[in-house]
Amino acid sequence: MNRVLSNKKAVFIFLLPALVLFLTIIIVPIFMSVTYSLTEWDGIGKKVFTGFDNYKELFLTNSDGFWRAVKNSLIFAAGSVFVQLPISLILALILARGVKGERFYVSVYFIPVLISTVVIGQLWMKIYNPQYGLLNTVLRSMGLEQLTGNWLGDTKKVIFAVIVPVLWQYIGYHMLLMYASVRSISEEIFEAARIDGANGIQTALHITIPLMKPILKVCVTFAVVGSLKNFDLVYVMTGGGPAGASQLPSTLMVETIFSRNMYGYGSSMAIFIILECFLFAWLIRKAFRDNE
């Protein structure tokens, strides 16, 4: 192995397939999107170079509710960081203590991650149905008729209704990462804490969680970046409606490109999403580095 790794030609040959795939699927499309974003193009006719006009319309005119979509994506990110990740952390800490049926619970919590997003979207649409949906049925049975509503049809409720299945789907994913991190900590450290008289909460706050910082950084990055580029579940459940109340930058981008045939303007949204994800990933990395 050392001989192979010292051979630069061999290393290049092994890396070449992955490099070609990376360039073809990621880098080339990004550069193409940058090019399209500087033009006015309907996807069929001739491209007309317009410079930064698409970006001016995107940031200044804002006639299609783009900033509202960005706000919604930030709400998704906040929900992921302050609701989804704490739940995942609590579950990971509980399961890592060796509860009975530990492997069973780990598998059960991870099942939503394996289910198709379309299936999950259809499932929650049935749950939210105003006539026969499970949520309204339970509320009525509890005498809380005033709390029932058209969850996916109300412009004030829809964004929060859509966030719930997104958070539910990936709780198990982050829990599994955190669970593996806790399990990797030496048992001798926990034994020393018990000898010193630390209880479970003190051990978690002062030993377990600080030692989990590398994986917590990964989970926060995945949660925030995933929220900023979220598309599939919202598209399946609401398509960005009603009246754009659940619109995200990604769903608005797809609508702009494929429904309104504005490839240049839609590509400028794509570039914004890419830069936004890079910015937040950098900020998260810097925040964790400063804490360390």
Side-chain angles (χ1 to χ4, degrees), residues 17-284:
L19 179 62
V20 171
L21 196 62
F22 179 75
L23 291 174
T24 305
I25 296 178
I26 305 234
I27 302 301
V28 172
I30 289 177
F31 278 102
M32 291 177 65
S33 294
V34 171
T35 303
Y36 293 157
S37 70
L38 301 176
T39 66
E40 183 179 345
W41 185 42
D42 61 2
I44 300 175
K46 184 179 179 181
K47 301 183 187 70
V48 178
F49 181 78
T50 57
F52 292 98
D53 287 353
N54 288 324
Y55 292 97
K56 291 178 182 177
E57 183 177 354
L58 187 67
F59 295 122
L60 301 179
T61 305
N62 191 27
S63 59
D64 53 5
F66 176 74
W67 287 115
R68 184 182 187 182
V70 173
K71 178 183 175 182
N72 288 340
S73 69
L74 294 177
I75 293 175
F76 267 73
S80 296
V81 173
F82 297 110
V83 179
Q84 183 184 66
L85 294 186
I87 293 175
S88 298
L89 178 60
I90 292 171
L91 291 174
L93 293 175
I94 293 174
L95 292 176
R97 294 179 64 183
V99 298
K100 186 177 181 180
E102 176 182 338
R103 293 181 181 275
F104 170 76
Y105 288 117
V106 170
S107 301
V108 168
Y109 289 133
F110 192 71
I111 286 176
V113 183
L114 305 177
I115 301 175
S116 167
T117 303
V118 176
V119 174
I120 290 177
Q122 292 296 324
L123 171 66
W124 281 88
M125 286 173 68
K126 299 296 186 295
I127 293 174
Y128 285 136
N129 188 282
Q131 279 77 43
Y132 58 81
L134 178 63
L135 180 55
N136 280 351
T137 301
V138 171
L139 290 174
R140 292 190 190 102
S141 67
M142 296 173 63
L144 301 174
E145 185 84 23
Q146 68 276 12
L147 297 181
T148 62
N150 185 3
W151 300 97
L152 298 180
D154 190 325
T155 56
K156 295 181 180 179
K157 297 178 180 178
V158 64
I159 186 64
F160 301 102
V162 173
I163 285 176
V164 172
V166 174
L167 302 184
W168 171 78
Q169 182 181 13
Y170 289 103
I171 281 177
Y173 176 78
H174 296 292
M175 182 216 68
L176 188 62
L177 293 177
M178 295 177 187
Y179 170 81
S181 177
V182 177
R183 278 301 193 184
S184 68
I185 300 173
S186 174
E187 185 62 31
E188 295 177 355
I189 298 177
F190 296 120
E191 184 65 30
R194 284 192 290 269
I195 293 174
D196 289 339
N199 58 34
I201 296 178
Q202 291 173 329
T203 302
L205 292 177
H206 299 292
I207 296 176
T208 310
I209 294 177
L211 291 175
M212 292 174 62
K213 277 188 178 180
I215 201 65
L216 291 177
K217 179 176 71 173
V218 171
C219 288
V220 172
T221 303
F222 282 177
V224 172
V225 172
S227 299
L228 297 177
K229 62 185 184 67
N230 198 299
F231 168 76
D232 44 7
L233 197 54
V234 174
Y235 188 78
V236 170
M237 293 183 68
T238 65
S246 63
Q247 197 78 270
L248 298 176
S250 55
T251 57
L252 183 60
M253 175 193 70
V254 170
E255 177 186 322
T256 302
I257 292 176
F258 296 107
S259 297
R260 297 161 58 189
N261 294 324
M262 299 173 65
Y263 279 73
Y265 185 50
S267 296
S268 65
M269 295 182 187
I271 299 303
F272 172 84
I273 295 172
I274 293 171
L275 295 177
E276 183 186 31
C277 290
F278 274 116
L279 174 62
F280 274 90
W282 177 78
L283 290 175
I284 293 168

